[in-house]
Amino acid sequence: MDTLEHAIERAKAQLQLQAPRVVLTMAQTGLALVVNRLQTEGLKGRRYSTSPLPKFFFRPTNAAGRDYVKRSKKPTYAGLREAQGMETRFVNLTYTGRMLRSLAPVPAGVVASIFQARIVASDAENAAKLEHNRRREGDFLAPNAAEQREVDTYAQRELDRIIQTELNA
């Protein structure tokens, strides 16, 4: 029969072993929740520009967009998005969708026994877009309070599961 002391030591070892996976899953969960919010609710209080821009600025993604730029005397970014059938009620940082799809959590090391992860873009082009949007919009990838509670709940359940597995072994 195993002693409580041995079970606790096994639980501590399993927590150390499983922590990187738990942290990466927390980061992925948080990222998925934030991206979902961005795409369904957008950045609060932000709307796409209705100021006219020079035609060379536009990069339409479909024939309707090309037609809009060609026919419009004073094209706007909001108008281009509308012509292409894209969201125009709020800024959602999704034009082609590549920037948000390129994001993924990566291990960021351990500091004082605290495992960390970062959200990074998978390539230089999307990293530049991400940095540009961060400078303009602030930390738009930060989870809100409800999203953070959901991530925390996952972490607590997973840690409880690991501990219970070892204590009941």
Side-chain angles (χ1 to χ4, degrees):
M1 183 161 184
D2 206 4
T3 67
L4 180 58
E5 183 179 342
H6 286 113
I8 291 171
E9 287 303 315
R10 276 196 328 273
K12 284 170 58 177
Q14 271 306 306
L15 288 170
Q16 282 288 107
L17 186 65
Q18 298 290 328
R21 177 188 60 79
V22 172
V23 168
L24 284 175
T25 304
M26 289 172 66
Q28 183 64 49
T29 300
L31 175 61
L33 292 167
V34 169
V35 167
N36 182 59
R37 175 175 40 86
L38 282 173
Q39 293 180 330
T40 59
E41 300 173 20
L43 296 172
K44 294 296 181 195
R46 297 278 287 126
R47 306 224 7 135
Y48 286 106
S49 174
T50 56
S51 299
L53 294 167
K55 290 185 179 196
F56 67 82
F57 176 80
F58 296 98
R59 302 278 186 269
T61 61
N62 61 30
R66 287 188 293 279
D67 187 54
Y68 168 78
V69 172
K70 182 178 178 181
R71 292 177 189 260
S72 180
K73 291 185 194 274
K74 294 184 176 184
T76 68
Y77 191 62
L80 174 66
R81 288 183 64 88
E82 184 175 350
Q84 294 182 126
M86 297 177 172
E87 178 61 62
T88 57
R89 294 171 296 154
F90 47 75
V91 171
N92 66 4
L93 300 179
T94 304
Y95 187 66
T96 64
R98 288 193 308 257
M99 179 189 73
L100 293 177
R101 281 194 312 270
S102 80
L103 300 178
V106 296
V110 181
V111 176
S113 296
I114 297 172
F115 291 83
Q116 299 177 336
R118 291 183 312 134
I119 304 296
V120 299
S122 62
D123 58 65
E125 176 187 351
N126 287 303
K129 289 179 190 176
L130 183 63
E131 184 55 33
H132 169 77
N133 283 314
R134 275 194 177 136
R135 281 193 307 272
R136 202 165 103 189
E137 307 297 345
D139 190 6
F140 62 90
L141 291 177
N144 64 26
E147 293 159 346
Q148 188 61 56
R149 280 191 302 276
E150 194 166 337
V151 170
D152 293 346
T153 297
Y154 158 76
Q156 188 62 56
R157 285 183 184 148
E158 189 61 9
L159 296 178
D160 289 347
R161 184 193 65 75
I162 292 167
I163 291 167
Q164 287 303 316
T165 297
E166 293 306 319
L167 292 180
N168 295 327

